[in-house]
Amino acid sequence: MIRERAQAQFAGRREQVTQFAENLHTDPESQAQFLFHVRGVGGVGKSTLLRHWQELARAASAVTAVVDEGDVHDVPQALSELARQMAGQTGSFKEFDRAAEQYRRELEAANPVALAGETGAYGGEASTSSRVVAQAALGAASLIPVAGGVVSAVTNPDSAALGLDRLRAGARARHRRADAAEVSRAFVAELQRLCEHYPWVVLCFDTWEQTGRYLGGWLRDLLWEGAFGSVPANVIVVLAGRDELSERDWAPLRSQVADVPLDVFTEAETRDMLARRGVTESTVVETIWHLSMGLPLIVELLALTRPESAGDVTDGGNAVDSAVERFVQWITNPLQRETALACALAPQLNEDVFAAVAPREARHLWAWLCEQPFVTSRGNFKQYHAVVRASMLRQQRARSPQRWNEAHIRLAEIHGSWCAAAERALAPDKRWDDPWWRQSRLGEIYHLLCAEPTVGIAFALEQGVQAAGAVTAVLRQWTDTLQQAANDTAEPVLLVWAQRLQDAVAGEEPAVAALTALLAHGGLDSVTQAWAHTYRGYHLYLADQNEEAITELGRAIATDPGNSRAWAYRGNVHLWLNHFDRAAEDLTTALELAPDDARILGCRGDCHRQAGNYAEAIDDLTAALDIDPALHLARVTRGITHRMAGRDDQAREDLTTVVKIDPTNEWALVNRGVVHQKAGRYEDAVADFTAALEIKPTDALALLNRGKVYQKMGRYKDAVADFTATLGIAPPTP
C-alpha cells in the first residue's frame, strides 16, 4: 500500500526520486552530496518521500533509520532511537548501548540525593584527591626517559593540586556535556563499524522544523567539525522539514547539501495521479485541481472518493477541510466513519488508546483504521497525518463543543486511571522516568487541556514543575504536549504558555528557565511553589551555581518546611562545598521528614564518610541498604568507607557484590582494584582497572592507579603510557 501510494504520488517527480537513488550507486568517496534536505509545506508529501527513499535504500542493501518530533527531545534520546532501529537490521550495538547506559548512570548519580559524586566516589575530600592525582601523575614524570636519562618532576605537587581544585569549578556541568559527547562518539564508532559491512547507512530526520531545535547544532558538529569522530563517506543524512536551512548556520556545509524542494503538484501532475486512480472526467479533474491547491495529500484523499461528477467534490470554504470532509463522507459505513473521526482526538494511537477512544461496537476496526491513507506508523504507535487530523479536530470542535468536551474528559479520565495503575509499582520520584506512566500522564494533561483549557492549565503547570525535576528530554515532552493542546484548541491562554515555555527550553539551562517562568507567571499554590524552588535549586547546583542553589533551596524550605527533598538537596550542596556540619544538619532534618528514604540515608552516610566519621557512615549506609538492597550506590559507598577505614575484606565483599550484579559498575571496579592494589594482588588490580577503562576510557583514577600498579610490576612502558594519558584527562581546562 505504501509503495503504491508513493509511486503514484511521485510519478511526476522522477528527478527528486532518482537523485537520491543515483546516489546509492555512486562511489561514496566521489559523491557530490551526503545530506539531502527535503522541504515543503504540510501535506506536500515529505514524509511519503522519506518512506519511499527508505525503501530504495533498503533495496540497495543500506541500513536505515528515521526519527521525528515524537522521538526527539534531546541528542541521547534521538541517538538511542536511531541505534534501536539499526540494531534491528544489523544486530546489537554493544558499544553504543554501553555508552548510553553509562550516560544514564551518570545522570542518576548527578542527582544531589544520589550518593558519591564523581570525585567522592573514589574516596577522600576534593583537595585530597586532587593532591593524589597531582603527586602521582607528576611523580610519574621521573619515569619518562629523556636523552638516555630521566627528568625529575620540578612542578610543586601542592601547587598542582591547588590548580586541580580550582579547575573542579564547573566540573559538573562539563561532566554532563562530556558524557553526552561520549554517547555521540560511541554512535559514530558504530556507524564506522556498520559502514565496513554495508554499502550505505541512511539516517532520516523528519519534521526537521521540530527536531532541528534539539539536533541542529549536534548534526553540524557531527558533519562539519567531526567533533565525535570521522563520519564515513557512505553515511547519507536526510532532513525533511517545512523551512529552508538557515544560511547562517549551514553555510559551511552548503556544498554538501542537495536541496529537494517539494512544490505542490502542477496541473499535469495532478491529472497524472488522478488518472492512475481512475479519475479522468474533465470537470471532476478540474474541480479537484482547484480545490486541492495541488497538495498531494488532498489530491490523494479526493481521488480515493471516486467522484463521478464535479458535484461529488465539495468546494468552497477551507480547501483542506472540504477535502477531508469529502473523504470522510465517502466512508459509507457509518461505524467506520464515526471511528475515523473519534480516533482523531488522540495524538497517538495504539490498541489500548484505540479501545478507549473508538465506539464500543467498533473494537474490531483497528486493522481497518491502520490501513487508511492518512494513518502512518511511528514506533509502537500509529498517528494521523497532521494536516488531516487538524482538519478533523476543527470540524468536531465547531460542530459540537459539548461532545468535544465530553470525549476529552473521558479520555483524560482513562489516561489518569492508567497513571494510577502504574503508580502502584513506582516510587513517586521515579514516575517521570517510567515511559508508560509518562505517556499516560502526558495524555491526561493533553485531554484535560482540550476539554477545559482554563481549568486544565493549573494541573498542567503543576505537573510541569515535576517534569522539570527530571531530565531535559522529559521537560521538553511536557512542553510539546502543551504546544499540541494549544495548536489543537487555539485557546489564547494555552498559546501564550506554549510560546513562553518553548522559548524557555530552547536556551542553555532549559529547566532553570522553565521553572523561572512558572514561578513568575504560573499562580502556583505554596506546595507547588516549593517544588519549583526545589528543582530550580537542583538545576542551579548542576550548573555549578552553588551559592545561588543554596539560596533557592532556602526559599523552598521557607515556603514549605515539610519538603524533605529541599532539605536533602541543600545538604548535598553543602556536602559538595565540604561544609560537612551544615550538610549533616540538613540531611538529618530531611530524614526526620522522610525516615525511610534510603537515598537520603545513603547521602548522609557519604557525608559522614567524607568527614572521616566512618562508624556513623557505615551505620547510615547499612540502614539504607536494609531499606533498599538494590541501592548499589550505597553499597559501593559502604565498600569505599570500609576501604578508607582499613577494613579491606569487608570492602572487597561489598564491591564484589555490586560487580556480580552489575559488571559495568565502573566505580565498584575502580575501588575493588584499589583494594587489590593495596594487598599486592597486582594482576587482579590491573584486571579491575582495565575493565573500568573499557566502560569509561577517560577515567583518570583508573588510569592513574593502573599506571602505579604497572610501575610496581616493573612494566615501565605501560606505566608511562597510563600516567601520560592521566595528565591529558584530569581535569579538563575551563
Side-chain angles (χ1 to χ4, degrees):
M1 185 69 173
I2 289 176
R3 179 183 295 276
E4 180 188 4
R5 290 206 306 271
Q7 288 174 342
Q9 189 163 349
F10 293 101
R13 298 182 176 186
R14 302 204 180 277
E15 181 180 350
Q16 289 97 333
V17 175
T18 57
Q19 182 179 11
F20 178 81
E22 288 172 357
N23 217 72
L24 298 174
H25 296 89
T26 303
D27 179 2
E29 298 295 339
S30 62
Q31 64 179 332
Q33 285 91 21
F34 60 80
L35 192 151
F36 288 78
H37 179 224
V38 181
R39 58 182 173 85
V41 298
V44 79
K46 301 182 294 296
S47 297
T48 305
L49 180 59
L50 250 62
R51 289 195 299 272
H52 190 42
W53 280 3
Q54 277 193 286
E55 290 183 351
L56 291 173
R58 290 186 181 178
S61 301
V63 180
T64 72
V66 59
V67 293
D68 62 18
E69 81 279 6
D71 305 309
V72 174
H73 295 90
D74 64 7
V75 170
Q77 188 181 55
L79 297 185
S80 293
E81 177 58 22
L82 291 171
R84 183 192 67 79
Q85 293 180 34
M86 290 190 287
Q89 301 163 56
T90 67
S92 174
F93 270 37
K94 291 182 179 178
E95 293 303 318
F96 176 82
D97 289 344
R98 183 157 40 190
E101 173 60 21
Q102 180 67 19
Y103 177 69
R104 185 201 62 76
R105 182 179 287 122
E106 295 288 355
L107 281 181
E108 184 177 289
N111 187 323
V113 183
L115 309 181
E118 57 207 67
T119 300
Y122 301 102
E125 300 176 14
S127 59
T128 302
S129 63
S130 295
R131 189 173 291 106
V132 167
V133 172
Q135 288 175 331
L138 292 170
S142 63
L143 295 175
I144 302 176
V146 177
V150 296
V151 296
S152 298
V154 296
T155 305
N156 184 328
D158 288 331
S159 298
L162 182 60
L164 294 182
D165 280 336
R166 289 197 203 98
L167 293 178
R168 287 178 68 234
R172 288 190 300 276
R174 285 196 305 274
H175 185 62
R176 287 181 291 144
R177 289 194 291 271
D179 280 344
E182 287 295 328
V183 176
S184 295
R185 280 189 280 271
F187 183 78
V188 172
E190 295 285 12
L191 291 180
Q192 293 168 344
R193 178 182 61 81
L194 285 184
C195 287
E196 293 176 358
H197 302 285
Y198 295 87
W200 297 98
V201 174
V202 180
L203 305 177
C204 301
F205 301 88
D206 205 354
T207 55
W208 185 249
E209 68 274 9
Q210 299 294 329
T211 54
R213 291 182 296 165
Y214 312 128
L215 297 183
W218 170 83
L219 187 60
R220 291 189 294 273
D221 287 345
L222 176 77
L223 299 177
W224 179 32
E225 299 286 351
F228 313 114
S230 176
V231 177
N234 47 335
V235 171
I236 295 177
V237 174
V238 182
L239 311 180
R242 297 192 176 195
D243 308 316
E244 292 188 45
L245 296 178
S246 162
E247 189 64 27
R248 181 189 64 185
D249 294 329
W250 291 92
L253 283 166
R254 179 58 63 188
S255 63
Q256 305 299 321
V257 176
D259 200 36
V260 185
L262 290 187
D263 295 323
V264 297
F265 274 170
T266 64
E267 184 174 0
E269 290 170 330
T270 302
R271 291 181 181 276
D272 183 51
M273 182 175 181
L274 291 173
R276 290 170 178 269
R277 288 294 186 191
V279 180
T280 57
E281 206 282 324
S282 60
T283 59
V284 173
V285 171
E286 186 74 18
T287 303
I288 291 178
W289 159 240
H290 287 295
L291 176 62
S292 68
M293 302 178 296
L295 280 173
L297 175 68
I298 304 306
V299 175
E300 170 83 355
L301 292 181
L302 290 173
L304 287 173
T305 66
R306 301 290 193 273
E308 296 180 355
S309 69
D312 290 338
V313 183
T314 305
D315 59 7
N318 181 296
V320 172
D321 286 353
S322 297
V324 172
E325 183 174 12
R326 170 65 184 148
F327 177 79
V328 171
Q329 289 174 350
W330 174 73
I331 303 174
T332 56
N333 184 307
L335 184 58
Q336 291 178 343
R337 184 164 58 246
E338 184 183 357
T339 300
L341 290 170
C343 289
L345 297 177
Q348 293 184 334
L349 291 162
N350 59 16
E351 291 194 58
D352 291 331
V353 177
F354 175 81
V357 69
R360 184 177 299 276
E361 60 274 21
R363 303 293 170 81
H364 62 288
L365 292 178
W366 170 246
W368 169 83
L369 183 68
C370 293
E371 287 299 314
Q372 296 311 295
F374 52 83
V375 177
T376 57
S377 297
R378 195 187 79 190
N380 296 323
F381 290 89
K382 301 288 184 181
Q383 64 180 23
Y384 282 23
H385 190 286
V387 171
V388 173
R389 180 171 181 268
S391 175
M392 289 183 175
L393 293 180
R394 280 194 298 270
Q395 294 179 43
Q396 293 184 74
R397 194 171 66 247
R399 287 177 181 172
S400 180
Q402 185 62 37
R403 282 203 303 270
W404 166 276
N405 286 358
E406 290 172 355
H408 279 295
I409 288 172
R410 184 177 70 255
L411 286 169
E413 290 173 348
I414 290 170
H415 280 83
S417 70
W418 291 341
C419 280
E423 285 169 7
R424 289 196 287 268
L426 290 171
D429 60 342
K430 293 294 185 183
R431 292 172 183 170
W432 283 100
D433 297 329
D434 182 78
W436 171 243
W437 183 92
R438 183 170 65 248
Q439 186 75 30
S440 300
R441 178 47 51 88
L442 292 176
E444 181 184 14
I445 291 170
Y446 169 81
H447 291 295
L448 279 175
L449 290 173
C450 287
E452 296 287 350
T454 56
V455 175
I457 190 65
F459 177 71
L461 298 183
E462 173 194 332
Q463 292 301 306
V465 169
Q466 298 300 323
V471 296
T472 300
V474 168
L475 175 62
R476 285 173 173 159
Q477 283 179 278
W478 171 76
T479 59
D480 285 354
T481 298
L482 199 65
Q483 182 73 65
Q484 181 79 63
N487 293 341
D488 292 345
T489 62
E491 283 289 337
V493 65
L494 297 186
L495 290 167
V496 169
W497 266 111
Q499 187 60 56
R500 180 181 289 148
L501 291 163
Q502 291 291 4
D503 291 343
V505 300
E508 281 289 318
E509 293 293 338
V512 172
L515 288 165
T516 300
L518 288 166
L519 283 165
H521 306 288
L524 309 174
D525 61 45
S526 60
V527 172
T528 307
Q529 283 182 41
W531 277 113
H533 287 301
T534 298
Y535 289 132
R536 193 169 183 275
Y538 162 43
H539 287 288
L540 287 167
Y541 163 84
L542 291 180
D544 292 309
Q545 299 179 50
N546 298 309
E547 295 304 325
E548 294 87 341
I550 288 173
T551 299
E552 192 69 10
L553 292 164
R555 292 191 183 107
I557 290 166
T559 305
D560 180 9
N563 189 317
S564 63
R565 189 68 60 84
W567 289 99
Y569 282 176
R570 193 174 72 173
N572 200 275
V573 180
H574 283 309
L575 179 57
W576 174 261
L577 297 172
N578 296 333
H579 303 158
F580 299 127
D581 290 342
R582 277 175 281 179
E585 289 174 6
D586 278 353
L587 291 167
T588 298
T589 302
L591 284 168
E592 290 171 355
L593 295 167
D596 294 328
D597 193 314
R599 291 189 303 166
I600 299 176
L601 265 170
C603 191
R604 191 175 68 175
D606 194 37
C607 175
H608 288 316
R609 175 190 68 81
Q610 293 192 46
N613 303 321
Y614 300 136
E616 291 91 335
I618 295 295
D619 287 345
D620 275 351
L621 293 164
T622 300
L625 288 165
D626 288 341
I627 295 170
D628 184 2
L631 192 60
H632 301 324
L633 281 170
R635 197 174 300 277
V636 171
T637 306
R638 191 174 70 175
I640 295 169
T641 308
H642 281 311
R643 175 179 66 76
M644 294 173 70
R647 295 189 287 270
D648 292 343
D649 289 342
Q650 293 96 319
R652 187 171 64 255
E653 181 181 349
D654 269 345
L655 298 168
T656 299
T657 297
V658 174
V659 171
K660 285 180 178 177
I661 297 170
D662 179 10
T664 66
N665 193 302
E666 169 207 355
W667 295 341
L669 286 164
V670 171
N671 279 281
R672 191 175 69 173
V674 172
V675 173
H676 288 317
Q677 177 182 0
K678 181 179 176 182
R681 294 186 292 269
Y682 296 144
E683 295 293 345
D684 291 338
V686 167
D688 276 350
F689 295 140
T690 301
L693 288 165
E694 288 174 354
I695 298 164
K696 186 176 182 181
T698 56
D699 189 315
L701 287 178
L703 276 168
L704 172 64
N705 281 290
R706 190 175 68 174
K708 291 165 69 176
V709 173
Y710 281 148
Q711 183 179 1
K712 291 284 188 180
M713 298 170 73
R715 295 171 56 177
Y716 298 119
K717 183 177 180 180
D718 292 331
V720 168
D722 277 356
F723 289 141
T724 303
T726 303
L727 288 168
I729 292 172
T733 55

